[in-house]
Amino acid sequence: MERQIYQARWVFPVNGPPLEDGIVEIEGTRIAAVYGGAHSRAIDLGNVALIPGLVNAHTHLEFSQLRAPLEPAAPFTDWIRAIMKSRFETEQPVTERIQQGISECLSSGTTTVGEIATSEESLRLFNAESQVPRAVVFRECLGFTPDRKAGQEQVAAAFLEEPIRPEALQRLFPGLSPHAPYSVHPDLYLNLVQQARDQGVPVAIHLGETSAEYDLLERKEGAFVDLLSELGLWDPEILQDGMRMTDYLAPLAELPAALAVHGNYFGPPEWEFLQGAPAISVVYCPRTHHYFGHPAHPWLTMIEQGINVALGTDSRASNPDLSLWKELLFLREICPQVPTELILECGTLAGARALGFAEETGSLEVGKAADLALIQLPEEAGGGTGSDLLLDSRSDVARVMLNGVWIN
């Protein structure tokens, strides 16, 4: 099999410094070499950068039909009411919506996804297709009252038994997602985490998304009590007195991998816990965070403390699109002091670590899957460094390679 050999103005391996006039050699579905220099048979891609395929560590593809985020953005519980209404009123089949989201992710440079699913359809679509991102599909489970416990445990068990084609075994894994503290009974949460531990699969849970979560857990008051009461689900005996966010983090530390999604209001107690729990990653969704008007996210503080922070788009219910690339550009805009290489790592290797794919993808290293994104750089940018050019607002994803094959 003849090697594909490409030269780009810049190559960003992520596991090392950027390479000017870099070469990437691909043999079959794998990266065979990455270096700076020249090769007589290299195809010159021109004024572009080659980066690892992006990793969207948190999204809900079932909302991919939405053309704009749902309103109102505040208070958050009113947005949840809008989500429930949207699910009830949507007529487009869920399979079409998920497929639409998969296509959008790929076209914008994402080759690995952490998908939250409310049915088996996501897993079946990722399982049936060959040109789809590698994925962890987390089955979402909800049930705040004791009567939902057994049913949701059965749903989770059945999902984990869904067959996966042999051809997909290295790129597709199931997981579980107890939704959030305000929507999952504590006993159900612990049992789902135990199921995941027994099966050796990852867990994703929305934590620290709003300050109202802390009101609910610590004082049994606030907007979530009002919402649960409105739905006929509130019982103050369900939650123990004086619960803390770390009570939800602690069970995750015993898993091989877990995602604490959002973490918008994590502070010193959560940071200290996470420092001692390397299996737990935090997933920050920058534009969704901005849409809801939260205070500045502590992602940099957490990274400084050794916590793995990945990036996600959340869904089109809170984001104008599913482009992880645009999340990187947004971070550059709001955090101009942060090195390009760190932002890129959050959108690639950190996400691969979070989802358990770090041995396969997330960086351009020999032996890893040939999942790449080709970024067109601005023509008039002159002699800037690769770090200056990559996240220029005019740069954009032009092509995507999946397992050694250009798909567009």
Side-chain angles (χ1 to χ4, degrees):
M1 180 179 296
E2 186 173 354
R3 287 192 179 191
Q4 302 178 67
I5 304 172
Y6 297 103
Q7 182 156 17
R9 182 177 177 187
W10 289 95
V11 172
F12 286 79
V14 174
N15 64 313
L19 303 171
E20 188 170 10
D21 295 322
I23 298 284
V24 177
E25 298 188 19
I26 296 164
E27 188 163 352
T29 64
R30 298 281 159 176
I31 296 171
V34 181
Y35 54 91
H39 193 291
S40 60
R41 290 197 297 107
I43 297 173
D44 188 353
L45 297 173
N47 185 36
V48 303
L50 286 176
I51 65 172
L54 300 171
V55 180
N56 186 345
H58 178 71
T59 191
H60 301 251
L61 296 179
E62 69 172 289
F63 297 105
S64 299
Q65 85 286 358
L66 295 173
R67 300 271 63 86
L70 295 176
E71 295 181 342
F76 184 75
T77 46
D78 278 357
W79 179 81
I80 290 178
R81 291 178 177 92
I83 282 280
M84 293 188 291
K85 184 172 184 285
S86 173
R87 278 181 168 151
F88 180 76
E89 294 179 346
T90 299
E91 296 181 357
Q92 184 180 3
V94 66
T95 300
E96 291 182 11
R97 290 180 267 139
I98 296 167
Q99 187 61 65
Q100 192 172 330
I102 291 173
S103 298
E104 183 179 357
C105 286
L106 274 176
S107 65
S108 56
T110 294
T111 59
T112 302
V113 170
E115 153 73 335
I116 307 295
T118 55
S119 70
E120 290 71 31
E121 293 306 316
S122 283
L123 190 68
R124 291 170 183 170
L125 281 171
F126 280 103
N127 193 19
E129 299 289 339
S130 56
Q131 286 193 338
V132 293
R134 66 188 67 244
V136 178
V137 179
F138 298 92
R139 180 57 161 91
E140 185 173 83
C141 298
L142 300 97
F144 192 74
T145 53
D147 60 293
R148 293 290 303 277
K149 179 173 169 289
Q152 287 296 286
E153 290 169 2
Q154 292 171 4
V155 164
F159 183 80
L160 296 181
E161 292 174 359
E162 282 280 321
I164 295 177
R165 295 183 305 125
E167 299 88 345
L169 285 175
Q170 297 304 311
R171 60 176 180 81
L172 176 62
F173 298 98
L176 297 179
S177 181
H179 177 255
Y182 56 83
S183 58
V184 176
H185 190 287
D187 291 344
L188 174 59
Y189 175 64
L190 292 176
N191 288 350
L192 291 171
V193 172
Q194 182 64 54
Q195 276 189 320
R197 186 185 305 121
D198 292 344
Q199 297 296 320
V201 301
V203 163
I205 177 173
H206 301 76
L207 287 176
E209 188 169 5
T210 73
S211 59
E213 282 180 53
Y214 292 82
D215 295 334
L216 174 69
L217 295 179
E218 297 176 6
R219 293 175 291 279
K220 298 185 185 180
E221 63 184 29
F224 282 119
V225 171
D226 295 340
L227 176 62
L228 290 167
S229 298
E230 176 186 318
L231 297 173
L233 301 175
W234 175 242
D235 178 352
E237 299 303 314
I238 287 176
L239 298 176
Q240 297 178 11
D241 292 338
M243 294 187 73
R244 297 289 185 267
M245 198 61 65
T246 50
D247 294 330
Y248 283 83
L249 288 170
L252 303 179
E254 302 174 17
L255 296 169
L259 280 64
V261 179
H262 298 301
N264 298 328
Y265 290 84
F266 281 0
E270 291 83 15
W271 304 340
E272 182 179 358
F273 182 88
L274 290 167
Q275 280 183 294
I280 306 175
S281 297
V282 174
V283 184
Y284 168 34
C285 301
R287 289 184 295 163
T288 287
H289 179 277
H290 176 75
Y291 177 67
F292 288 118
H294 299 302
H297 195 283
W299 66 292
L300 289 172
T301 299
M302 288 191 280
I303 291 173
E304 290 168 358
Q305 297 187 15
I307 300 163
N308 189 55
V309 178
L311 300 178
T313 62
D314 211 323
S315 75
R316 276 181 166 265
S318 61
N319 203 324
D321 54 59
L322 300 178
S323 172
L324 205 282
W325 176 251
K326 290 183 180 178
E327 302 293 340
L328 302 189
L329 296 182
F330 180 75
L331 279 182
R332 160 57 66 242
E333 178 185 347
I334 65 171
C335 301
Q337 80 285 2
V338 177
T340 293
E341 289 79 6
L342 178 57
I343 294 175
L344 181 60
E345 181 177 348
C346 288
T348 53
L349 188 55
R353 291 190 201 108
L355 295 173
F357 283 121
E359 293 185 5
E360 281 288 301
T361 191
S363 58
L364 303 182
E365 296 183 60
V366 173
K368 286 194 174 184
D371 292 351
L372 284 72
L374 185 153
I375 309 300
Q376 184 66 54
L377 302 175
E379 292 291 346
E380 66 274 23
T385 68
S387 298
D388 295 331
L389 298 174
L390 183 67
L391 297 183
D392 185 289
S393 61
R394 297 164 293 176
S395 297
D396 202 3
V397 177
R399 298 185 73 186
V400 180
M401 175 180 284
L402 196 63
N403 287 319
V405 177
W406 295 109
I407 62 172
N408 56 358

